[in-house]
Amino acid sequence: MAENKKKKRRKGTMASATERMLVGQNINIEEEEELVTPMQQVVRNFVENKVAMTGMFCFLVILLCCIILPFFFPIDRYYQDVTQANVAPGFGLMTPPKALQGNAMDISAGSTYSVGLDRNGNVYEWGTFPNAKLKKLPPASEMGKLVQISAGLDHVLALNEEGTVFTWGNDRMGLESIPMDLRMGDKVTKIYAGYQVSFALTDRGRLYNWGNEYLVDVRIPKEVQGNIADFEANTNIVMVRTTDGRLVPLTQKASAYTQIPEEIQGHVVDFALSDESVAAITDDGQLHVWGNNVKGTMNVPEELEGTPVRVEGGRYHFVALMEDGSLRAWGDSTFQQNHAPSISEKVVDLSAGYYGSYAIGESGKVYSWGLKGYLMGTDAFGRDVFRRLLKGGRMTLTVGAIAVVISTIIGVIVGGVSGYKGGRIDNLMMRFTEIVSSIPFLPFAIILSAIVGNRVTETQRIMMIMVILGLLSWPGIARLVRGSVLAEREQEFVTAAKSLGVKELGIIFRHIIPNVLTVIVVNATLDFATCMLTESSLSFIGFGVAEPNATWGNMLNSAKDSKVIEDFWWRWVFPSISLAICTISINCVGDGLQDAIDPKSKER
Amino acid sequence: MGKGRYLVKRLIYIVFVFFIISILMFCIYKATPGDPVRMMIGDTGNIEPERYQTMYDQYAELLGVNKPLYVQYGVWISNMLRGNFGYSTQYKRQVIYVIGTPMLNTLKLNIFSMLVVFMISVPLGIATAVKKNSVFDKAVQVLTIVGYSIPSFVIALLAIFVFAIKLKWFPVGGVRTAGLEAEGLADALDVGRHMVLPVLVMSVGGLGSITRYVRASMIDALRMDYIKTARAKGLKEKVVIYVHAFRNALIPIVTVTTWWIIGLFGGSVVIESLFSWRGLGSMLLDGLMQRDFSIVLAMQMFYVVLSLAGNVIMDIAYTIVDPRVRLDS
């Protein structure tokens, strides 16, 4: 016992102070002894342990982030957007170069990059480029003075003063072959680069399209061709406005946005397409919206005072320019697309594309809002890594915690009963424990998950992983509890409880287990880290929690490919770091607890 | 009770455990969805139902899936014990001919990892125990926590990125360079180059935990009275540490090491799949994907046997390092 106390004091400054006092005055130590309960001593030891406290801090930060932040940065499990695939971390998507500020003429927002023209016809490109060829512009001498520019998914169209069209970027799927008609004679007035398709409208009202013909179904009726005044396109359809103000969808497939309200036909002055809906302004200054109300694209703000004169659409948002020069935006707010700035000067040009919008003021100043970038980039499906990291962390921590709870409960029951009862029951239970611990853990978990996991839903699958982990990892804790119970059961308080007639289960779980609680807590903490690691390993090789649910393990799944490791570092670095920091800090805490309690000194 | 009888008792018990686990495995596999016979026949195109049925029966007979479960188990386990692991529907060959090379590959990987871990962790653990609470000790302590906390695949990703992609010192994956027709020493060197990264990655986790255990048990041993006696006798410090203390510290180390080795083989599933190392682990995963039960079952039994063999070795090792075990009190 004396050695026991001495050992506790060995740690930290407080302890050494006590020891100094021991040499000096005797009265002081006795006061100290009376004041400090074993529990307080444990807490003090733990707090003095810098490594453990740092671990505790890191873990709490991660835990709080994973619990709280997903409410502020939500992500739909099934959300996917290939146009945003593999974007590097950064917030420069909507920041035009300085040279363009105050001198801008035309700007177009592409998938993850934007292009702009200044008043001298020079081209500027910024953002993350999905394709290296986007940087290979045709020589300026060849293009002359450019007047219009349009950015698509991964290619750019530009138009010069003479009405000639140029294209660069993705040159496959026919994108590079500008129709012959456009190269001779016809003067182009409007260009649009879409999702692997390009469009050009000529001054004679004819619309031309080229590029990937499988994505957008374009059928131009004979009576429309030659009478086209304006056109807009999204990823699914192209719609044109004829010279007499009628809207005509250039498709034969009927959908929600082809149901054009009859009363506006012949009166349309401007219109815009989002992915699922259409907004049109009629000659009486009314705004009409129809289509599918996805992400609030049809929730036009009620206080739309004044009359709109121009409307533009991104993937899930619209922005309208009012007569008084102010801007109104509505629709999806995930990337603040609907937060149009209030601009003091007159807006001369407006453009919206994908998740961003630009407005150019009279002075040539560029105003931008919308998707500025991703903190940690995006994965192959265009999902924000940061948002998935938060969700994944929550999942990983939950699975680990529940697995530990399961294994601890089983372990305490088996260990407690077997340690207290002893004899034949002990022997039987320990043999059983040995059998379970002889089962090779990872291969067995893989097989169980592969076999059971095929016929269950996603939620059931997650629960199954928890149960598998819990059921396979209890032997360690059972052995430990058994050992501690064996040491405790001969103590006087147990004899007292027995003589009072307390039932056996009562003695085990009410009287003995609380005394070995510290051992259980330490072991559960260390097991928590192990369970998290195992879950991550399982998910990593594809036998754990499956897509579309995120965990840190399955976020790393795609990094099995060395191409991903090399080119898209953000896809594996961030989940790896989170996982590593989390498990390291949990282990530090567990270790610190173990040191603080020091069960070894108790055994001796 | 003598040493021999103790071991015999343990062996009998372990055989018993083996059968229990094998029954468990067998039941799980038989509960799997999907029909191995259909898988084996594959796509036959437009074939008459009757002919398909005959074909189906033939294959079912060949695979033995048309008999009652306990007969299937009996047949399977007796075949298993005779080294006949069944027919692989995936490779269309007997499993025994398929698993040779992968098994060798896995063994290579694991044995080298073990060597690396022991050569580093045992001296390191002793050194930190002797210089307990020094700066060196504390630094190593923190590093070992980091070592065993980081999942192996994260270390693997990092290693691939740094050593294979950026520095290009080692290949990204595989067992051999594709298309390289080398023999003898050149071939061994090539395989060795491919093995460096997986071995490195697999060692990190073990280094962390084994070093900690060696340190802990050495500290306990160094506190004992017989160490004071040994020092009082005037023995050299080296002798005291390496002979008197270390020998007594070995008992817990043996336990931990055995569990670690068993875990190592299991854990190499992840590493093998990541480094496309043709070993048992990647074979197990492939087998599961292809529903090739014979392969999966054989792999699983290998892991079980390994784990039980680990137990036996642990028992034997106990009797060697701790003479008290002989008198099973």
Side-chain angles (χ1 to χ4, degrees), chain A residues 329-401:
Chain A
W330 66 92
D332 185 21
S333 63
T334 316
F335 305 113
Q336 275 83 47
Q337 298 105 302
N338 56 359
H339 291 193
S342 47
I343 298 166
S344 50
E345 58 178 325
K346 193 168 174 271
V347 174
V348 293
D349 195 14
L350 181 67
S351 82
Y354 294 88
Y355 298 97
S357 313
Y358 289 98
I360 301 173
E362 224 171 2
S363 63
K365 193 163 181 248
V366 180
Y367 303 88
S368 65
W369 69 98
L371 174 67
K372 292 197 164 49
Y374 299 93
L375 180 65
M376 295 179 183
T378 61
D379 64 9
F381 298 103
R383 296 176 294 198
D384 188 339
V385 172
F386 176 62
R387 285 166 198 244
R388 271 172 68 78
L389 196 70
L390 296 175
K391 276 230 161 159
R394 199 151 69 167
M395 180 70 77
T396 305
L397 290 169
T398 317
V399 171

Coordinates of all heavy atoms in Angstrom, one line a residue, chain A residues 329-401:
Chain A
A329 N -31.8 37.5 -57.1 CA -31.4 36.1 -57.4 C -32.2 35.2 -56.5 O -32.6 35.6 -55.4 CB -29.9 35.9 -57.2
W330 N -32.6 34.1 -57.0 CA -33.3 33.1 -56.2 C -32.9 31.7 -56.7 O -32.2 31.5 -57.7 CB -34.8 33.3 -56.3 CG -35.4 33.1 -57.7 CD1 -36.0 31.9 -58.1 CD2 -35.5 34.0 -58.8 NE1 -36.4 32.0 -59.4 CE2 -36.1 33.3 -59.8 CE3 -35.1 35.3 -58.9 CZ2 -36.4 33.9 -61.1 CZ3 -35.4 35.9 -60.2 CH2 -36.0 35.2 -61.2
G331 N -33.3 30.7 -55.9 CA -33.0 29.3 -56.2 C -32.1 28.8 -55.1 O -32.2 29.2 -53.9
D332 N -31.3 27.8 -55.5 CA -30.4 27.1 -54.5 C -29.5 28.0 -53.8 O -29.0 29.0 -54.3 CB -29.6 26.1 -55.3 CG -28.7 25.2 -54.4 OD1 -29.1 25.1 -53.3 OD2 -27.8 24.7 -55.0
S333 N -29.3 27.8 -52.5 CA -28.5 28.7 -51.7 C -27.2 27.9 -51.2 O -26.5 28.5 -50.4 CB -29.3 29.2 -50.5 OG -29.7 28.2 -49.7
T334 N -27.0 26.7 -51.6 CA -25.9 25.9 -51.1 C -24.6 26.7 -51.2 O -23.8 26.6 -50.3 CB -25.8 24.6 -51.9 OG1 -27.1 24.0 -52.0 CG2 -24.9 23.6 -51.1
F335 N -24.4 27.3 -52.3 CA -23.1 28.0 -52.5 C -23.4 29.6 -52.6 O -22.7 30.3 -53.3 CB -22.4 27.6 -53.8 CG -22.2 26.1 -53.8 CD1 -22.9 25.3 -54.7 CD2 -21.3 25.5 -52.9 CE1 -22.6 23.9 -54.8 CE2 -21.1 24.1 -53.0 CZ -21.8 23.4 -53.9
Q336 N -24.4 30.0 -51.9 CA -24.8 31.4 -51.9 C -25.1 32.0 -53.3 O -24.8 33.1 -53.6 CB -23.7 32.3 -51.2 CG -23.8 32.3 -49.7 CD -23.2 31.1 -49.1 OE1 -22.1 30.8 -49.5 NE2 -23.9 30.5 -48.1
Q337 N -25.6 31.1 -54.2 CA -25.9 31.6 -55.5 C -27.0 32.6 -55.5 O -27.1 33.5 -56.4 CB -26.4 30.4 -56.4 CG -25.4 29.3 -56.7 CD -25.8 28.1 -55.9 OE1 -25.9 28.2 -54.7 NE2 -26.0 27.0 -56.5
N338 N -27.8 32.6 -54.5 CA -29.0 33.5 -54.5 C -28.7 34.8 -53.7 O -29.6 35.5 -53.3 CB -30.2 32.8 -54.0 CG -30.0 32.2 -52.6 OD1 -28.9 32.3 -52.0 ND2 -31.1 31.6 -52.1
H339 N -27.4 35.0 -53.3 CA -27.1 36.2 -52.6 C -26.5 37.2 -53.5 O -25.3 37.5 -53.5 CB -26.0 35.8 -51.5 CG -26.6 35.0 -50.4 ND1 -26.0 34.8 -49.2 CD2 -27.8 34.3 -50.3 CE1 -26.7 34.0 -48.4 NE2 -27.8 33.7 -49.1
A340 N -27.4 37.8 -54.3 CA -26.9 38.8 -55.3 C -26.5 40.1 -54.5 O -27.2 40.5 -53.6 CB -28.0 39.2 -56.2
P341 N -25.3 40.7 -54.8 CA -24.9 41.9 -54.1 C -25.7 43.1 -54.6 O -26.3 43.1 -55.6 CB -23.4 42.0 -54.6 CG -23.4 41.3 -56.0 CD -24.4 40.3 -55.9
S342 N -25.7 44.1 -53.7 CA -26.3 45.3 -54.2 C -25.3 46.2 -54.8 O -24.2 46.4 -54.2 CB -27.0 46.0 -53.0 OG -26.1 46.1 -51.9
I343 N -25.5 46.5 -56.1 CA -24.5 47.2 -56.8 C -24.9 48.7 -57.0 O -26.1 48.9 -57.4 CB -24.3 46.6 -58.2 CG1 -23.8 45.1 -58.0 CG2 -23.3 47.3 -59.1 CD1 -23.8 44.2 -59.2
S344 N -24.0 49.6 -56.7 CA -24.4 51.0 -56.7 C -24.4 51.6 -58.2 O -25.2 52.5 -58.5 CB -23.4 51.9 -55.9 OG -22.1 51.5 -56.3
E345 N -23.6 51.0 -59.1 CA -23.6 51.5 -60.4 C -24.6 50.8 -61.3 O -25.2 49.8 -60.9 CB -22.2 51.5 -61.0 CG -21.6 50.1 -61.0 CD -20.2 50.0 -61.6 OE1 -20.0 50.8 -62.5 OE2 -19.4 49.2 -61.1
K346 N -24.7 51.2 -62.6 CA -25.6 50.5 -63.5 C -24.9 49.2 -64.0 O -23.7 49.2 -64.3 CB -25.8 51.5 -64.7 CG -26.9 51.0 -65.6 CD -27.3 52.1 -66.6 CE -28.3 51.6 -67.5 NZ -27.8 51.0 -68.7
V347 N -25.7 48.2 -64.0 CA -25.2 46.9 -64.5 C -25.4 46.8 -66.0 O -26.5 47.0 -66.5 CB -25.9 45.7 -63.8 CG1 -25.5 44.4 -64.4 CG2 -25.7 45.8 -62.3
V348 N -24.3 46.6 -66.7 CA -24.4 46.5 -68.2 C -24.5 45.1 -68.7 O -25.0 44.9 -69.8 CB -23.3 47.3 -68.9 CG1 -23.4 48.8 -68.6 CG2 -21.9 46.8 -68.4
D349 N -23.9 44.2 -67.9 CA -23.9 42.8 -68.4 C -24.1 41.9 -67.2 O -23.6 42.2 -66.1 CB -22.6 42.5 -69.2 CG -22.8 41.2 -70.0 OD1 -24.0 40.8 -70.2 OD2 -21.8 40.6 -70.5
L350 N -24.8 40.8 -67.5 CA -25.1 39.9 -66.5 C -24.9 38.5 -67.0 O -25.2 38.2 -68.2 CB -26.6 40.1 -66.1 CG -27.1 39.2 -65.0 CD1 -26.5 39.6 -63.7 CD2 -28.6 39.5 -64.9
S351 N -24.3 37.6 -66.3 CA -24.2 36.2 -66.8 C -24.2 35.3 -65.6 O -23.8 35.6 -64.5 CB -22.9 36.1 -67.6 OG -21.8 35.8 -66.8
A352 N -24.8 34.1 -65.8 CA -24.9 33.1 -64.8 C -24.6 31.8 -65.5 O -25.0 31.5 -66.6 CB -26.3 33.1 -64.2
G353 N -23.9 30.9 -64.8 CA -23.6 29.6 -65.3 C -23.2 28.7 -64.2 O -22.6 29.1 -63.3
Y354 N -23.7 27.4 -64.3 CA -23.4 26.4 -63.2 C -23.7 27.0 -61.9 O -24.9 27.2 -61.6 CB -21.9 26.0 -63.3 CG -21.7 25.2 -64.6 CD1 -21.4 25.9 -65.8 CD2 -22.0 23.8 -64.7 CE1 -21.2 25.2 -67.0 CE2 -21.8 23.1 -65.9 CZ -21.4 23.8 -67.0 OH -21.3 23.1 -68.2
Y355 N -22.7 27.3 -61.0 CA -23.1 27.7 -59.7 C -22.7 29.2 -59.4 O -22.7 29.6 -58.3 CB -22.5 26.8 -58.6 CG -23.0 25.4 -58.8 CD1 -22.2 24.4 -59.5 CD2 -24.2 25.0 -58.2 CE1 -22.7 23.1 -59.6 CE2 -24.7 23.7 -58.4 CZ -23.9 22.8 -59.0 OH -24.4 21.5 -59.2
G356 N -22.3 29.9 -60.4 CA -21.8 31.2 -60.2 C -22.5 32.2 -61.1 O -23.1 31.9 -62.1
S357 N -22.4 33.5 -60.6 CA -23.0 34.6 -61.4 C -22.0 35.7 -61.5 O -21.3 36.0 -60.5 CB -24.3 35.0 -60.8 OG -25.1 34.0 -60.5
Y358 N -22.0 36.4 -62.6 CA -21.2 37.6 -62.7 C -22.1 38.8 -63.2 O -23.0 38.6 -64.0 CB -20.1 37.4 -63.7 CG -19.0 36.5 -63.3 CD1 -19.0 35.2 -63.7 CD2 -17.9 36.9 -62.5 CE1 -18.0 34.3 -63.4 CE2 -16.9 36.1 -62.1 CZ -17.0 34.8 -62.6 OH -16.0 33.9 -62.2
A359 N -21.7 40.0 -62.7 CA -22.4 41.2 -63.2 C -21.3 42.2 -63.5 O -20.3 42.2 -62.8 CB -23.4 41.7 -62.2
I360 N -21.4 42.9 -64.6 CA -20.4 43.8 -65.0 C -21.0 45.2 -64.9 O -22.1 45.5 -65.4 CB -19.8 43.6 -66.4 CG1 -19.2 42.2 -66.5 CG2 -18.8 44.7 -66.7 CD1 -18.8 41.8 -67.9
G361 N -20.4 46.1 -64.1 CA -20.9 47.4 -64.0 C -20.5 48.3 -65.2 O -19.7 47.9 -66.0
E362 N -21.1 49.5 -65.1 CA -20.8 50.5 -66.2 C -19.3 50.8 -66.3 O -18.7 51.0 -67.4 CB -21.6 51.8 -65.9 CG -22.2 52.4 -67.1 CD -23.1 53.5 -66.7 OE1 -23.2 53.8 -65.5 OE2 -23.8 54.1 -67.6
S363 N -18.7 50.8 -65.1 CA -17.2 51.1 -65.1 C -16.4 50.0 -65.5 O -15.1 50.1 -65.6 CB -16.9 51.5 -63.6 OG -17.1 50.4 -62.8
G364 N -17.0 48.9 -65.8 CA -16.2 47.7 -66.2 C -15.8 46.9 -65.0 O -15.0 46.0 -65.1
K365 N -16.3 47.2 -63.8 CA -16.0 46.5 -62.6 C -16.8 45.2 -62.6 O -17.9 45.1 -63.0 CB -16.3 47.3 -61.4 CG -15.8 46.8 -60.1 CD -15.8 47.8 -59.0 CE -15.2 47.2 -57.8 NZ -16.0 47.0 -56.7
V366 N -16.1 44.1 -62.1 CA -16.8 42.8 -62.1 C -17.3 42.5 -60.7 O -16.6 42.7 -59.7 CB -15.8 41.7 -62.5 CG1 -16.5 40.4 -62.5 CG2 -15.2 42.0 -63.9
Y367 N -18.5 42.1 -60.6 CA -19.1 41.7 -59.3 C -19.4 40.2 -59.5 O -20.0 39.8 -60.5 CB -20.4 42.5 -59.0 CG -20.2 43.9 -59.0 CD1 -20.3 44.7 -60.1 CD2 -19.9 44.6 -57.8 CE1 -20.1 46.1 -60.1 CE2 -19.7 45.9 -57.7 CZ -19.8 46.7 -58.9 OH -19.6 48.0 -58.8
S368 N -19.1 39.4 -58.5 CA -19.3 38.0 -58.6 C -19.9 37.4 -57.3 O -19.7 37.9 -56.2 CB -18.0 37.2 -59.0 OG -17.1 37.3 -57.9
W369 N -20.7 36.4 -57.5 CA -21.3 35.7 -56.3 C -21.6 34.3 -56.7 O -21.7 34.0 -57.9 CB -22.5 36.4 -55.7 CG -23.7 36.4 -56.5 CD1 -24.8 35.6 -56.4 CD2 -24.0 37.3 -57.6 NE1 -25.7 35.8 -57.3 CE2 -25.3 36.9 -58.1 CE3 -23.4 38.3 -58.3 CZ2 -25.9 37.5 -59.2 CZ3 -24.0 39.0 -59.3 CH2 -25.3 38.5 -59.8
G370 N -21.7 33.4 -55.7 CA -21.9 32.0 -56.0 C -20.8 31.2 -55.5 O -20.1 31.5 -54.5
L371 N -20.5 30.1 -56.2 CA -19.6 29.1 -55.8 C -18.1 29.6 -55.9 O -17.6 29.7 -57.0 CB -19.7 27.8 -56.6 CG -18.7 26.7 -56.3 CD1 -18.8 26.2 -55.0 CD2 -18.9 25.6 -57.4
K372 N -17.5 30.0 -54.8 CA -16.2 30.5 -54.9 C -15.1 29.4 -54.9 O -14.0 29.6 -55.3 CB -15.9 31.4 -53.7 CG -16.7 32.7 -53.8 CD -16.2 33.7 -52.8 CE -16.8 35.1 -53.2 NZ -18.3 35.1 -53.3
G373 N -15.5 28.2 -54.5 CA -14.6 27.1 -54.5 C -14.9 26.2 -53.3 O -15.9 26.3 -52.6
Y374 N -14.1 25.1 -53.2 CA -14.3 24.1 -52.2 C -13.1 24.1 -51.2 O -12.0 24.1 -51.7 CB -14.5 22.8 -52.8 CG -15.6 22.7 -53.7 CD1 -15.4 22.9 -55.1 CD2 -16.9 22.3 -53.3 CE1 -16.5 22.8 -56.0 CE2 -17.9 22.2 -54.1 CZ -17.8 22.5 -55.5 OH -18.8 22.3 -56.3
L375 N -13.4 24.2 -49.9 CA -12.3 24.2 -48.9 C -11.4 23.0 -49.1 O -10.2 23.2 -49.0 CB -13.0 24.1 -47.5 CG -12.0 24.2 -46.4 CD1 -11.2 25.5 -46.3 CD2 -12.7 23.9 -45.0
M376 N -11.9 21.8 -49.3 CA -11.1 20.7 -49.5 C -11.2 20.0 -50.8 O -11.0 18.8 -51.0 CB -11.3 19.7 -48.4 CG -11.0 20.2 -47.0 SD -11.3 19.0 -45.7 CE -10.9 20.0 -44.3
G377 N -11.7 20.7 -51.8 CA -11.9 20.2 -53.1 C -13.1 19.3 -53.2 O -13.9 19.2 -52.3
T378 N -13.2 18.6 -54.4 CA -14.3 17.7 -54.6 C -13.8 16.3 -55.0 O -12.7 16.2 -55.5 CB -15.3 18.2 -55.7 OG1 -14.5 18.3 -56.9 CG2 -15.9 19.5 -55.3
D379 N -14.6 15.3 -54.9 CA -14.2 14.0 -55.3 C -14.7 13.7 -56.8 O -15.1 14.6 -57.5 CB -14.8 12.9 -54.3 CG -16.3 12.9 -54.3 OD1 -16.9 13.5 -55.2 OD2 -16.8 12.2 -53.4
A380 N -14.6 12.4 -57.2 CA -14.9 12.1 -58.6 C -16.3 12.3 -59.0 O -16.6 12.4 -60.1 CB -14.5 10.6 -58.8
F381 N -17.2 12.4 -58.0 CA -18.6 12.6 -58.3 C -19.0 14.1 -58.1 O -20.2 14.4 -58.0 CB -19.5 11.7 -57.4 CG -19.3 10.3 -57.7 CD1 -18.6 9.5 -56.8 CD2 -19.7 9.7 -58.8 CE1 -18.4 8.2 -57.0 CE2 -19.5 8.4 -59.1 CZ -18.8 7.6 -58.2
G382 N -18.0 14.9 -57.9 CA -18.3 16.4 -57.7 C -18.8 16.7 -56.3 O -19.4 17.8 -56.1
R383 N -18.6 15.8 -55.3 CA -19.1 16.1 -54.0 C -18.1 16.8 -53.2 O -16.9 16.5 -53.3 CB -19.5 14.7 -53.3 CG -20.6 14.0 -54.0 CD -20.9 12.7 -53.4 NE -19.8 11.8 -53.5 CZ -20.0 10.5 -53.4 NH1 -21.1 10.0 -53.1 NH2 -18.9 9.7 -53.5
D384 N -18.5 17.7 -52.4 CA -17.6 18.5 -51.6 C -16.9 17.6 -50.5 O -17.6 17.1 -49.7 CB -18.4 19.6 -50.9 CG -17.5 20.6 -50.2 OD1 -16.4 20.3 -49.9 OD2 -18.0 21.7 -50.0
V385 N -15.6 17.5 -50.6 CA -14.9 16.7 -49.7 C -15.1 17.1 -48.2 O -15.2 16.3 -47.3 CB -13.4 16.6 -50.1 CG1 -12.6 15.8 -49.0 CG2 -13.2 15.9 -51.4
F386 N -15.1 18.4 -48.0 CA -15.2 18.9 -46.6 C -16.5 18.5 -46.0 O -16.6 18.0 -44.9 CB -15.1 20.5 -46.7 CG -15.3 21.1 -45.3 CD1 -14.4 20.8 -44.3 CD2 -16.3 22.0 -45.2 CE1 -14.7 21.4 -43.0 CE2 -16.5 22.6 -43.9 CZ -15.7 22.3 -42.9
R387 N -17.6 18.7 -46.8 CA -18.9 18.3 -46.3 C -19.0 16.8 -46.0 O -19.6 16.4 -45.0 CB -20.0 18.8 -47.2 CG -20.2 20.3 -47.2 CD -21.0 20.7 -48.4 NE -20.9 22.2 -48.6 CZ -21.8 23.1 -48.4 NH1 -23.1 22.7 -48.2 NH2 -21.6 24.3 -48.6
R388 N -18.5 16.1 -46.9 CA -18.5 14.6 -46.7 C -17.6 14.2 -45.6 O -17.9 13.2 -44.9 CB -18.1 13.9 -48.0 CG -19.3 13.6 -48.9 CD -18.8 13.1 -50.2 NE -18.3 11.7 -50.1 CZ -19.0 10.6 -50.0 NH1 -20.3 10.7 -50.0 NH2 -18.4 9.4 -50.0
L389 N -16.5 14.9 -45.4 CA -15.6 14.6 -44.3 C -16.3 14.8 -42.9 O -16.2 13.9 -42.0 CB -14.4 15.6 -44.3 CG -13.2 15.2 -43.5 CD1 -12.5 14.0 -44.1 CD2 -12.2 16.4 -43.5
L390 N -17.1 15.8 -42.8 CA -17.9 16.1 -41.6 C -18.9 14.9 -41.4 O -19.0 14.4 -40.3 CB -18.6 17.4 -41.7 CG -17.7 18.6 -41.7 CD1 -18.6 19.9 -41.9 CD2 -16.9 18.8 -40.5
K391 N -19.6 14.6 -42.4 CA -20.6 13.6 -42.3 C -20.0 12.2 -42.1 O -20.4 11.4 -41.2 CB -21.4 13.5 -43.6 CG -22.6 14.4 -43.7 CD -23.9 13.7 -44.0 CE -25.1 14.5 -43.6 NZ -26.2 14.1 -44.4
G392 N -18.9 12.0 -42.8 CA -18.1 10.8 -42.6 C -17.6 10.6 -41.2 O -17.6 9.5 -40.7
G393 N -17.1 11.7 -40.7 CA -16.6 11.7 -39.3 C -17.7 11.3 -38.3 O -17.4 10.4 -37.5
R394 N -18.8 11.8 -38.5 CA -19.9 11.5 -37.6 C -20.2 10.0 -37.7 O -20.4 9.3 -36.7 CB -21.2 12.3 -38.1 CG -22.2 12.4 -37.0 CD -23.0 13.7 -37.1 NE -23.9 13.7 -38.2 CZ -24.8 14.5 -38.4 NH1 -25.0 15.5 -37.5 NH2 -25.6 14.5 -39.5
M395 N -20.2 9.5 -39.0 CA -20.5 8.1 -39.2 C -19.4 7.2 -38.5 O -19.7 6.3 -37.8 CB -20.6 7.8 -40.7 CG -20.9 6.4 -41.0 SD -22.6 5.9 -40.5 CE -23.5 6.7 -41.9
T396 N -18.2 7.6 -38.8 CA -17.1 6.8 -38.3 C -17.1 6.7 -36.8 O -17.0 5.7 -36.1 CB -15.7 7.3 -38.8 OG1 -15.7 7.4 -40.2 CG2 -14.6 6.5 -38.3
L397 N -17.3 7.9 -36.2 CA -17.3 8.0 -34.7 C -18.5 7.2 -34.1 O -18.4 6.5 -33.1 CB -17.4 9.4 -34.2 CG -16.1 10.3 -34.5 CD1 -16.4 11.7 -34.3 CD2 -15.0 9.8 -33.6
T398 N -19.7 7.3 -34.8 CA -20.8 6.6 -34.3 C -20.6 5.1 -34.4 O -20.9 4.4 -33.4 CB -22.1 7.0 -35.1 OG1 -22.0 8.4 -35.4 CG2 -23.3 6.6 -34.4
V399 N -20.2 4.6 -35.5 CA -20.0 3.2 -35.7 C -19.0 2.7 -34.6 O -19.2 1.7 -33.9 CB -19.5 2.9 -37.1 CG1 -19.1 1.4 -37.2 CG2 -20.5 3.2 -38.1
G400 N -17.9 3.4 -34.5 CA -16.9 3.0 -33.5 C -17.5 3.0 -32.1 O -17.3 2.0 -31.3
A401 N -18.2 4.1 -31.7 CA -18.7 4.2 -30.4 C -19.7 3.1 -30.1 O -19.6 2.4 -29.0 CB -19.4 5.5 -30.2

